[in-house]
Amino acid sequence: MELVAPAGNFDKLLYAYTYGADAAYIGLKHFSLRVKADNFYADEYKKIVDLKSQFPGKKLFCALNISFHNQDIDQFLADLDYFRAYPIDSFIIQDIGMVPVIQKYFPYADLHLSTQANCINREAVKMYQKLGFKRVVLGREASLGEIREIKDSVPEMELEVFAHGAMCIAYSGRCLMSAYLTGRSANSGFCSHSCRWEYKVLTDLPRSGKLVLEEKERPGEYYPIFEGDDYTAVLSSKDLCMINHLKKKKKAGVDALKIEGRMKSIYYVALITRAYRKGIDVQSGLITQQEAQPFIDELFKTSHREFTTGFFYRREDADTTTNGATDSPWELCAAIGDELPHNTQQDLSVTEKDGKSYPESEEQLFTRAKITEATRQQELEAMHPSARHARLADYAAHPEKCPPVIQKKDGWKFFIYDAMNKIDCTSPGQTNTSIPIEFIAPDKAFITADNSDYLLINPDTGEIMNWVCHGHPCLIYTSLPLEKGMLVRTINPRYGEEKYR
């Protein structure tokens, strides 16, 4: 089975590929149902062309799954050169009007039917096959039994099904609730996730015996709902999770597993993709279940709502709703970049990243540290004795004003530390005491670093840093077996078991 992962921006695409996806799906400009994802703009196609060359064999799918109005088609035709610049292998569409357009202007690309088209039966699959589709992303309402029947009836059609992620309470995600309440159409990509909000159910409105919802932040605005014998039409669904059911999916004839989440974090994309990669490898006989299990266990350390198996076994499993989302016990704080070469004769592929510069070698960094230390000493020696005494007393009371510079340690190495969230490396009431962090990699579930395993270093001065956050250039100095592409996480201080938000 092929693994298809979400990529809401370039960094997520990189980590989707790095952590085991066979293919990733992206949105371009205004033609995707996830316009709130970063999506791809301007000349990012150059970076993606280069990225695909680094991952030969990986596929790139482009989601064009909105419902097209005339002006949307006109805009797409005006942007043809832009779309052609991307190394797109397949287009995911729901609008049949786009079939001849894609076939005419992108004859080299495959057509994939979006789940938005609600295809859940063999006759519909046969029809789409005649239209030229290579793959159908089945509607979430299809059961494993129905999938097997479809595959037996149309064996040459590739079938892709969702395996993990958010489920929409509306039929195959065709929701009008967001547009009704906020004027933001989910079917045009502007979903406000209204089904996750908190509501009162009212039945005693004046001159009406109808059942309605009143959202907590919008008193006096009523959304009519219909309640049947065993369900209410508008509620927040559980999240789909089929990690423990991959053998049955394969047996049903599924060709590709899809992970939902172009708006999710890098951490989510990496851990969920990695877990399903290992799960698929078990089904392919590449690794054992015992080898895969540590990675699968990590899947549950991402934020999610309660899990369900959706419609694959019984409709009742999908009808059971939930509230909010659980917090993760961990939060992402950084990504590991290039290793710093020992000397300037070695190559460093990245000396600048996102406007932050780094020394070209360990040798250069230690030189900067010596200059920092010498400059401080010269400043102190140039001071009047009383001023020098006051400065030294201030340093003693506030050591963060005069952080120590790095000293060489045998067996330790420097890596670029690309900070994403703040990490405070000083424990309360202590100084220069690192808090535990963990490193995760495509083929290592996690590596735990204790208080003596790492130091964060200012690359400009060689000083040891007590904290770092996004936008600050930083190096990590450690003896641990790190590698480029690892993610760094730390304990989430706000986490509580079964905490909903």
Side-chain angles (χ1 to χ4, degrees), residues 72-106:
D72 296 321
I73 295 179
D74 293 340
Q75 184 62 59
F76 179 77
L77 293 174
D79 288 336
L80 282 176
D81 290 341
Y82 173 75
F83 278 83
R84 284 172 174 155
Y86 282 83
I88 295 169
D89 297 292
S90 305
F91 286 95
I92 306 170
I93 66 173
Q94 66 150 316
D95 196 316
I96 298 303
M98 289 299 292
V99 171
V101 176
I102 299 298
Q103 291 173 331
K104 178 179 180 180
Y105 295 105
F106 300 89

Side-chain angles (χ1 to χ4, degrees), residues 163-166 237-243 268 272 276 299-310 317 320 322 326 500:
H164 195 93
S237 61
K238 292 183 177 181
D239 281 359
L240 179 65
C241 180
M242 293 295 288
I243 191 65
Y268 178 94
I272 301 301
Y276 279 88
L299 172 151
F300 299 95
K301 296 181 182 179
T302 62
S303 293
H304 59 272
R305 286 180 287 276
E306 291 178 271
F307 283 135
T308 179
T309 54
D317 296 331
T320 305
T322 188
T326 56
Y500 290 91

Side-chain angles (χ1 to χ4, degrees), residues 75-323:
Q75 184 62 59
F76 179 77
L77 293 174
D79 288 336
L80 282 176
D81 290 341
Y82 173 75
F83 278 83
R84 284 172 174 155
Y86 282 83
I88 295 169
D89 297 292
S90 305
F91 286 95
I92 306 170
I93 66 173
Q94 66 150 316
D95 196 316
I96 298 303
M98 289 299 292
V99 171
V101 176
I102 299 298
Q103 291 173 331
K104 178 179 180 180
Y105 295 105
F106 300 89
Y108 54 84
D110 294 326
L111 279 175
H112 290 185
L113 183 72
S114 170
T115 189
Q116 296 296 121
N118 316 125
C119 183
I120 55 172
N121 67 73
R122 60 180 180 269
E123 298 305 320
V125 172
K126 290 177 184 177
M127 183 196 72
Y128 288 117
Q129 182 188 38
K130 292 177 182 177
L131 288 175
F133 283 86
K134 181 181 181 182
R135 176 178 297 185
V136 168
V137 185
L138 293 172
R140 289 175 173 85
E141 294 76 19
S143 69
L144 288 177
E146 289 172 321
I147 294 170
R148 181 69 265 173
E149 291 175 0
I150 292 170
K151 191 64 177 179
D152 289 342
S153 181
V154 198
E156 59 275 19
M157 176 66 82
E158 294 179 1
L159 300 181
E160 180 175 311
V161 300
F162 279 89
H164 195 93
M167 298 264 288
C168 185
I169 201 68
Y171 191 81
S172 284
R174 301 184 104 182
C175 181
L176 300 176
M177 185 176 181
S178 177
Y180 186 96
L181 289 176
T182 68
R184 292 165 52 184
S185 171
N187 297 327
S188 297
F190 291 94
C191 182
S192 59
H193 301 285
S194 315
C195 56
R196 315 298 186 208
W197 298 348
E198 297 180 3
Y199 293 89
K200 295 177 182 178
V201 180
L202 304 177
T203 58
D204 55 352
L205 295 178
R207 297 180 299 278
S208 172
K210 294 181 179 180
L211 190 66
V212 299
L213 296 180
E214 180 185 56
E215 203 271 319
K216 183 171 71 173
E217 302 299 327
R218 293 167 174 79
E221 296 183 24
Y222 305 117
Y223 182 81
I225 60 173
F226 178 79
E227 185 172 61
D229 292 337
D230 60 352
Y231 70 95
T232 301
V234 183
L235 288 170
S236 178
S237 61
K238 292 183 177 181
D239 281 359
L240 179 65
C241 180
M242 293 295 288
I243 191 65
N244 295 320
H245 304 267
L246 300 187
K247 184 177 181 179
K248 291 183 178 179
K249 281 209 164 190
K250 185 176 181 179
K251 186 177 179 181
V254 171
D255 297 290
L257 298 177
K258 190 167 194 170
I259 299 169
E260 181 276 336
R262 273 185 290 151
M263 293 171 62
K264 298 292 181 66
S265 68
I266 288 174
Y267 179 71
Y268 178 94
V269 171
L271 261 69
I272 301 301
T273 300
R274 186 181 68 168
Y276 279 88
R277 173 77 274 148
K278 299 303 181 183
I280 291 173
D281 288 347
V282 170
Q283 302 307 314
S284 302
L286 299 176
I287 60 175
T288 66
Q289 183 65 42
Q290 185 177 7
E291 290 172 318
Q293 199 59 49
F295 300 93
I296 292 173
D297 291 341
E298 289 294 305
L299 172 151
F300 299 95
K301 296 181 182 179
T302 62
S303 293
H304 59 272
R305 286 180 287 276
E306 291 178 271
F307 283 135
T308 179
T309 54
F311 292 88
F312 289 115
Y313 297 107
R314 304 180 311 152
R315 173 179 172 173
E316 290 78 8
D317 296 331
D319 286 344
T320 305
T321 57
T322 188
N323 176 47

